[in-house]
Amino acid sequence: MLAMLPVLVVHGGAGNVPRQRAELSCAGVREAARAGYALLRSGRSAMDAVVEAVTLLENNPAFNAGCGSVLNEHGGVEMDALVMDGRTLASGAVSAVRRIANPVQLARLVMEKTQHLCLTAEGASKFARAVGVPEVPEETLITDYARKRWQRNLQPGSNPVECQMGKMGTVGAVAVDSEGNVACATSTGGMLNKMEGRVGDTPCVGCGGYADNLLGAVSPTGHGEAIMKVTLSRLILFYMEQGKTAADASDQALAYMWERVQGLAGVVVVDPRGGWAARFNSLQMAWAAAQNGQLHYGLGKGEDFTLPLQDQPAAATQNLEQQHAASTHNLEQQHAASTHNLEQQ
Amino acid sequence: MCDCEGAPLPSMQPAVKPVVVVHGGAWAIPVGMSEACANGVKTAAVGAFRVLKRGGTALDAVETAVRALEDDPAFDAGRGSVLNAGGEVELDAVVMDGRTLAAGAVSCVRNIANPVTLARAVMEKTDHVMLTDRGANLFADSVGVATVPSDALVTEHEREEWERHQQYSRGVKSLFNSRWDHDTVGAVALDCHGDVACATSTGGIRNKMVGRVGDSPIIGCGGYADNRVGAVSCTGHGESIMKVTLASRILFHIEQGRSPSEAVESCLQYMAERVKGGAGSSQ
């Protein structure tokens, strides 16, 4: 009999990941899934696990969240994050916050230490100071890659929206712990060259995430404005409420979003019994899932690679790395093929 | 009013009877103020209905209604808004167009007399859906929406209330539950073309933390409009409304075949049970 619980699924953003960044993204989501799952196995809550997984992704410069965030039109970093606890529907969010290394942790503090759900911009910074969350210099959040992309998009004739698809790397996680509690967390630097003060779907409950012990949990990534218009996370859970599986509900909601507002996105979803899904209508989405001693991961359509997750002795790790290399090769070939496809279209 | 699917008909032969519903907040209204509030929502509804009668869009109608309520100092939106913990006015608003699901919102914006109009500008003039804080004010400057002095939005009554609350500092939740606070305004409309729209605007909760964003500017919480289903605008304890994404939930129930009043009834009941929140909505 399979142990369905606990389970954790993470994503590292939907879009069209440039080839040289594909392996970084895949390694990052695998690492985050492992760390979150280890917490769940040691008896910690779903909320602890999703915050841990997203913290690692924020700290990883390969993703558009925390360090590695994209820059807004003025070259600044403004980040959004959300957490939600399926036990009580308690939720916390920050929007357009600056100079914070881990917005997801600040969002959790909003949930736990205030009577509010969302704090924005300067008010969020003020709260961070009040609860002793340190401010970091903005420079420490900015990578050369982010700055290069920002400069490229300042040039006349550039097309930020198209370039956007290269890295819509919002990150997120959903989990069910051994007690059957669900939680979600999402964090992002937003859209490349966005207007100052732009808030996307991420910190909006029901759009950038939702968790309810009775139904499941969702964390999305993709074109924020489209996700908001259809309140994507809530929509998926409505479909699950009607008896659909996580995968079917996700596919139906993504198809609906495409039909209504022509949006591209991806989602990771869990139900309280441990069923999970990682689905997307964009070209790619880096994702990883940990359940029953197995790590699943993928990037392109239809991919589902697996690795064992049991306590890993040195030899096994080496083995893993070889498999890594092999699957990377695979990914790159598939990526080349799908890019080719896209060009033909 | 929720069954409004189908191609827009020529406005000369309106097949759909236009309708607008406005609200001026869910709270226990002190006796001295109830008349002003009743007059305020009446005036707003009459103004918006005039827009619809002339063949105007649902979007124009809800904006007209909410502007009137924002301008009326009896309501917690625009002029008459409550003060936050820092003694300042910070405003949230959303509009949504049921034809295309286009939406616009501002959160935590300062010195703007009609946030609902700024939210509409975000929808119509940017690629984004929501702008917050200083960014929303920068955008207002760039599109020529005038800023007003902070004092222009603060009533004497509110200044006194705020000072009273500073003396007896109490938690926000107890403030709301004691029902001494007034609240969010909003409107929903159906025009003669069969299109729906919603708008919601608020000054939030008195003594809220600086930067607090409530349900109002969050799509699916403070409002939602979809031609295929209907439109909702919510008011009440923002944090509870957000936890159950009240507007989305009501429309989902309507989509399942319930009448608007059944849907609202069951969703408010659900909210009371799950998160112990009080609210009202119009749809």
Side-chain angles (χ1 to χ4, degrees):
Chain A
M1 159 110 185
L2 286 177
M4 294 291 281
L5 301 182
V7 56
L8 177 126
V9 195
V10 306
H11 67 73
N16 179 7
V17 183
R19 192 200 292 199
Q20 67 276 17
R21 300 185 70 82
E23 179 46 26
L24 284 176
S25 298
C26 282
V29 291
R30 282 195 302 260
E31 185 203 355
R34 277 201 192 94
Y37 186 68
L39 285 191
L40 291 172
R41 294 278 294 172
S42 70
R44 300 271 291 279
S45 68
M47 176 55 69
D48 286 343
V50 293
V51 169
E52 172 69 10
V54 169
T55 297
L56 286 176
L57 295 166
E58 285 176 340
N59 293 344
N60 186 331
F63 299 101
N64 174 20
C67 173
S69 287
V70 298
L71 307 186
N72 71 14
E73 61 182 352
H74 298 133
V77 173
E78 292 181 325
M79 299 165 291
D80 302 335
L82 170 80
V83 296
M84 187 160 185
D85 187 333
R87 280 176 295 199
T88 56
L89 306 185
S91 164
V94 289
S95 63
V97 69
R98 289 168 168 255
R99 297 181 298 276
I100 297 290
N102 294 110
V104 72
Q105 295 180 3
L106 189 60
R108 186 177 182 173
L109 288 168
V110 171
M111 173 176 83
E112 292 175 345
K113 307 226 184 248
T114 78
Q115 284 165 328
H116 300 319
L117 252 64
C118 182
L119 294 176
T120 193
E122 205 34 59
S125 297
K126 206 173 162 185
F127 168 68
R129 284 191 291 275
V131 293
V133 172
E135 274 199 350
V136 298
E138 192 161 50
E139 288 303 306
T140 63
L141 301 174
I142 301 178
T143 59
D144 290 343
Y145 181 69
R147 199 182 300 280
K148 223 184 310 165
R149 280 159 52 87
W150 172 67
Q151 277 161 350
R152 202 182 311 147
N153 281 294
L154 288 179
Q155 286 157 16
S158 70
N159 185 345
V161 174
E162 194 170 292
C163 183
Q164 202 70 45
M165 293 309 294
K167 195 195 177 201
M168 299 199 297
T170 297
V171 304
V174 291
V176 193
D177 60 30
S178 313
E179 323 234 291
N181 296 313
V182 307
C184 70
T186 311
S187 178
T188 189
M191 244 171 116
L192 187 60
N193 295 48
K194 63 185 178 182
M195 290 170 70
E196 182 171 341
R198 177 264 190 184
V199 179
D201 62 302
T202 301
C204 300
V205 182
C207 304
Y210 200 82
D212 181 345
N213 267 12
L214 304 179
L215 302 172
V218 180
S219 172
T221 166
H223 186 223
E225 278 71 8
I227 292 172
M228 291 164 99
K229 287 174 186 173
V230 301
T231 60
L232 185 65
S233 299
R234 204 43 260 204
L235 186 63
I236 290 171
L237 291 173
F238 280 135
Y239 290 149
M240 287 167 70
E241 200 169 4
Q242 294 177 308
K244 293 214 159 51
T245 63
D248 287 349
S250 303
D251 288 345
Q252 189 179 340
L254 289 168
Y256 174 81
M257 187 174 82
W258 177 256
E259 181 229 328
R260 286 304 294 271
V261 294
Q262 287 73 54
L264 293 176
V267 293
V268 292
V269 185
V270 288
D271 72 43
R273 294 164 304 285
W276 61 271
R279 313 290 296 176
F280 47 98
N281 66 355
S282 54
L283 214 48
Q284 294 166 317
M285 179 178 79
W287 63 271
Q291 183 180 43
N292 194 32
Q294 292 262 306
L295 182 70
H296 299 255
Y297 67 95
L299 179 71
K301 286 257 156 72
E303 285 176 2
D304 183 354
F305 303 108
T306 55
L307 292 171
L309 258 178
Q310 263 78 19
D311 313 312
Q312 295 154 10
T317 314
Q318 204 175 17
N319 225 340
L320 286 181
E321 271 162 20
Q322 280 168 4
Q323 288 188 29
H324 249 198
S327 61
T328 310
H329 183 63
N330 245 335
L331 286 181
E332 281 181 6
Q333 283 184 339
Q334 291 195 15
H335 181 254
S338 58
T339 311
H340 185 63
N341 269 338
L342 190 74
E343 279 164 7
Q344 284 185 334
Q345 288 167 16
Chain B
M1 69 151 281
C2 53
D3 184 17
C4 34
E5 214 171 326
L9 293 152
S11 57
M12 297 305 286
Q13 311 164 285
V16 184
K17 269 198 186 145
V19 55
V20 57
V21 186
V22 309
H23 67 77
W27 55 299
I29 301 167
V31 181
M33 288 180 76
S34 60
E35 200 180 325
C37 290
N39 285 337
V41 289
K42 227 184 292 169
T43 310
V46 167
F49 193 65
R50 212 172 289 137
V51 171
L52 292 174
K53 286 290 259 189
R54 281 201 312 262
T57 64
L59 197 60
D60 287 337
V62 293
E63 186 191 358
T64 302
V66 170
R67 281 182 68 104
L69 295 166
E70 285 173 341
D71 291 341
D72 187 331
F75 301 98
D76 174 22
R79 189 162 124 70
S81 287
V82 298
L83 299 174
N84 69 11
E88 286 182 8
V89 171
E90 292 179 333
L91 304 160
D92 300 338
V94 71
V95 293
M96 188 159 183
D97 183 341
R99 283 175 295 196
T100 57
L101 306 185
V106 289
S107 65
C108 201
V109 69
R110 296 179 196 93
N111 304 94
I112 298 290
N114 294 109
V116 69
T117 297
L118 187 59
R120 185 171 177 176
V122 171
M123 174 174 88
E124 292 175 344
K125 299 187 176 164
T126 77
D127 292 330
H128 301 320
V129 166
M130 189 194 234
L131 294 176
T132 193
D133 202 87
R134 207 170 70 98
N137 280 103
L138 286 174
F139 170 67
D141 291 345
S142 76
V143 292
V145 171
T147 50
V148 296
S150 307
D151 283 348
L153 300 176
V154 185
T155 60
E156 202 172 310
H157 168 78
E158 175 54 27
R159 182 70 68 189
E160 282 164 16
E161 285 290 305
W162 182 78
E163 269 158 18
R164 202 163 61 79
H165 283 288
Q166 291 305 102
Q167 285 162 14
Y168 310 98
S169 88
R170 280 180 279 172
V172 169
K173 202 152 193 177
S174 71
L175 280 182
F176 185 83
N177 288 342
S178 71
R179 308 272 171 147
W180 271 109
D181 221 330
H182 53 165
D183 206 40
T184 307
V185 304
V188 290
L190 168 68
D191 64 27
C192 61
H193 309 286
D195 296 324
V196 301
C198 71
T200 308
S201 178
T202 189
I205 302 182
R206 180 176 302 129
N207 234 8
K208 64 185 179 181
M209 291 170 71
V210 175
R212 177 263 193 184
V213 179
D215 62 301
S216 299
I218 313 283
I219 295 178
C221 300
Y224 199 85
D226 180 351
N227 266 13
R228 296 185 187 177
V229 191
V232 180
S233 168
C234 297
T235 174
H237 184 233
E239 278 71 9
S240 301
I241 292 173
M242 290 162 94
K243 286 176 187 176
V244 302
T245 61
L246 187 62
S248 276
R249 191 173 182 87
I250 290 170
L251 287 181
F252 195 75
H253 280 246
I254 293 175
E255 202 174 8
Q256 301 297 299
R258 299 207 197 183
S259 74
S261 55
E262 280 169 357
V264 169
E265 195 82 7
S266 85
C267 291
L268 291 179
Q269 179 73 29
Y270 171 85
M271 189 170 83
E273 283 164 16
R274 278 306 287 275
V275 296
K276 301 181 176 54
S281 70
S282 56
Q283 65 291 317

